Amino acid sequence: MMRSPLYELQKQLGAKFTEFSGFEMPLYYSSIIEEHFAVRKKLGLFDVSHMGNVLVGGENPEELLSLVSVADVSKLHPGKSVYTTFLREDGTIIDDLIIYMISTNNFVFIPNAGQNKIVVPWLCEHAKKRGLGVEIKDVTLEWMILAVQGPSANEAMQKITDYTLDRIKPFECSNITVANAPVLCSRTGYTGEDGFELQFPTRKNGKVFSSIFETGKEYNVLPCGLGARDSLRLEKGFALASNEFAGGRTPLEAGLSWTINWDHEFIGKGAVLKQKEEGNYERTVYLKCKERCVPRRRCEVIDNKKNIGKVSSGGLSPCLKKGIAVAHVKHESREIGKIVSILIHKKEYEAEMIRPPFIKKGEC
Amino acid sequence: MEIREGLLYSKNHEWVKVLDGKAKIGITDYAQSKLGDIVFVELPEIGKELKKGEVICILESVKAASDVYSAVDCSVEEVNDRLSNEPELLNKSPYDDGWICIVSMKNKDQPKELLSPESYKKETEK
């Protein structure tokens, strides 16, 4: 099993570890709930080095990246990033990811844990097939990724960099120096709070995590694990690859149609367009339960005593103290405001179909 | 980690306090620390009859559901309703405020099969 370069430090900080896509990563340190609230109210620090880093450069890398992604990457400007998906020819999602344009002919993207092994050969194949002079380099094992998330992230991070962080707007990125180490800093994340993600080669930058942790103490920073990462993203309705589209859903079925730019050509476009026109594909719905309960993956969704679908991600919202779930249902069953129920341990719990997120900014 | 004197323990990490043919049941400090934050408790219905080893209650931590087994043949007399809205009591106070239920025992000899604090301590060190 692979480990983050910070494994020993995390162990010292009391991390309880879990296996995730071949990596042994912290599940939590003190308590998932406490870590969740730290991020919502103040500051949390995540190590997400299990995720991939892939550099794309050479000649016209944007041409290849546009071809393989539902976003039109050729429209990106240096210092900008975009959340997108890569599709197979049949329109199903291979992976969801953020592509960052660092400078002209210089991109990096972050595939999900383990997906770099699938995505990189697949990209190389398409580059070769089309005779593109693109250089693709998988630096997953040489790079680290930290996420500094929460309302105090900007203020805390500003103390350890000379760069004016206000200049980095949401979904923008810049090469800056943090704690004397050069990092690619972006205002992105997976928690729905303000914050940054830092990507950098591990080799010379062993102190970035410790510096943020020490500086963050003034803001009651907590080191956070994958448990809080999951509950935080769920409250915002963000998709988790292994739950929401593992096994082959299209962006339409996975609730990610908003990521598609239809005005450019991309692999899988024909299949997704056909599905869109036919219209009878499964819908992603967001279910907010009326009471405290814990819907889990694979729980049945019931409408009028009939099974209409299944939960793909669910849990107790620490902020709402009610059950929340993402589910996939028959197309005709989706209706905002409709009351259905979720079957948990043979008992039905009422839930309303809402538009995500479950928690708005500052609501917790 | 606390293993309290004056209680009996099961290998499934429940504690039992015997009082006049009745038993108060909860989970141990060791169990709560392994489960992590408990966010939901499905309490048994009052009057429910259970055999030793049957599921008396379901606990949901953030990451997983866990069954609590009855350590004795019993019928449920009283449940700790506070747990419905404050399941975190199981984490904060597993031996006091976080008790799960009180049952009347069908077989007064059964507690003898349970573990002493010393034996339970060995069980957690395995």
Side-chain angles (χ1 to χ4, degrees), chain A residues 38 41 56 68 115 175 305:
Chain A
K41 292 177 188 297
V56 189
V68 296
Q115 289 299 306
N175 277 316
K305 295 185 177 137

Side-chain angles (χ1 to χ4, degrees), chain B residues 38-88:
Chain B
I38 295 163
V39 293
F40 182 81
V41 183
E42 196 175 303
L43 291 164
E45 279 168 30
I46 291 176
K48 190 171 180 180
E49 307 258 332
L50 292 148
K51 290 248 184 289
K52 179 182 172 179
E54 286 184 334
V55 176
I56 193 163
C57 162
I58 300 169
L59 305 180
E60 296 267 8
S61 71
V62 181
K63 293 308 285 180
S66 315
D67 292 333
V68 180
Y69 303 98
S70 179
V72 289
D73 296 347
C74 64
S75 72
V76 178
E77 290 217 335
E78 197 181 332
V79 296
N80 183 1
D81 284 325
R82 273 183 81 189
L83 296 179
S84 303
N85 288 318
E86 299 171 84
E88 61 274 13

Side-chain angles (χ1 to χ4, degrees), chain A residues 193-299:
Chain A
E193 296 302 327
D194 188 24
F196 302 95
E197 288 175 305
L198 311 177
Q199 306 174 55
F200 48 94
T202 305
R203 207 157 29 98
K204 296 176 193 157
N205 302 288
K207 296 223 159 62
V208 178
F209 184 96
S210 315
S211 302
I212 299 169
F213 189 59
E214 286 307 315
T215 309
K217 281 183 178 165
E218 190 183 326
Y219 305 91
N220 302 323
V221 69
L222 286 186
C224 301
L226 297 183
R229 190 169 158 81
D230 189 46
S231 56
L232 287 158
R233 70 93 196 168
L234 184 59
E235 282 187 338
K236 295 293 173 179
F238 298 158
L240 173 63
S242 55
N243 290 15
E244 267 70 68
F245 49 81
R249 283 198 176 92
T250 68
L252 301 185
E253 293 161 339
L256 297 174
S257 53
W258 59 274
T259 62
I260 303 173
N261 179 334
W262 294 102
D263 298 332
H264 83 300
E265 292 310 311
F266 57 88
I267 293 169
K269 184 178 178 181
V272 181
L273 197 57
K274 184 166 174 272
Q275 187 179 52
K276 190 184 174 202
E277 283 160 3
E278 288 172 357
N280 60 349
Y281 55 89
E282 270 195 342
R283 299 301 200 268
T284 297
V285 293
Y286 301 85
L287 303 173
K288 183 172 161 181
C289 299
K290 304 223 155 163
E291 57 185 301
R292 185 188 275 268
C293 61
V294 188
R296 303 270 185 198
R297 184 166 163 73
R298 298 191 188 88
C299 281

